[in-house]
Amino acid sequence: MRWYRNLYLGPGAAPHIEKIREKAALKKVMAGVYYITPASVQGNLLDIFHNGMLRQTLFSDGQCTDVIGVAEGRMEAFRLAGRIIGDVYEETGGFDIRSYFQSEDFMED
């Protein structure tokens, strides 16, 4: 798992981000914590998924694990994804999420 250097955080997740990252490194499931990543499927913009999904081999084998944002709760995750897409559009005038977030913008656990 790699983390975006300027990680987007929902207001519910922000105060707990260090604990979230520690538990993520230990592969622990956290109730209500959602990750936002570049889409795993061409044609989509972002993926939003509960952190526990990464424990499922079938899911994790195909899932991009470059985390752009962390949210607490589904609604917060949806709002945060909207903010990310809006920021990319403002900066670039387009929606090419994969090109916007470069590999060097991420760091390992």
Side-chain angles (χ1 to χ4, degrees):
M1 180 174 287
R2 298 184 324 158
W3 302 86
Y4 181 55
R5 290 186 190 282
N6 299 313
L7 191 63
Y8 282 85
L9 297 171
H16 310 289
I17 190 56
E18 290 308 317
K19 190 143 201 101
I20 290 169
R21 288 181 66 156
E22 287 171 17
K23 287 184 176 185
L26 297 171
K27 300 189 184 325
K28 294 197 176 208
V29 176
M30 297 164 274
V33 175
Y34 287 79
Y35 296 143
I36 301 169
T37 66
S40 307
V41 176
Q42 187 134 357
N44 293 350
L45 298 176
L46 297 169
D47 287 342
I48 300 171
F49 60 92
H50 187 272
N51 71 89
M53 295 298 291
L54 286 177
R55 296 191 65 170
Q56 305 298 319
T57 307
L58 183 62
F59 179 82
S60 64
D61 285 350
Q63 179 61 44
C64 175
T65 56
D66 289 344
V67 179
I68 297 170
V70 178
E72 196 169 291
R74 282 182 37 203
M75 290 310 297
E76 183 171 289
F78 294 150
R79 286 188 204 99
L80 190 58
R83 191 172 113 211
I84 294 167
I85 292 167
D87 286 356
V88 170
Y89 183 76
E90 276 186 36
E91 288 275 325
T92 67
F95 298 104
D96 190 354
I97 300 287
R98 284 231 174 248
S99 293
Y100 183 80
F101 294 101
Q102 300 293 310
S103 187
E104 59 270 8
D105 294 334
F106 292 88
M107 57 187 177
E108 298 287 331
D109 276 334

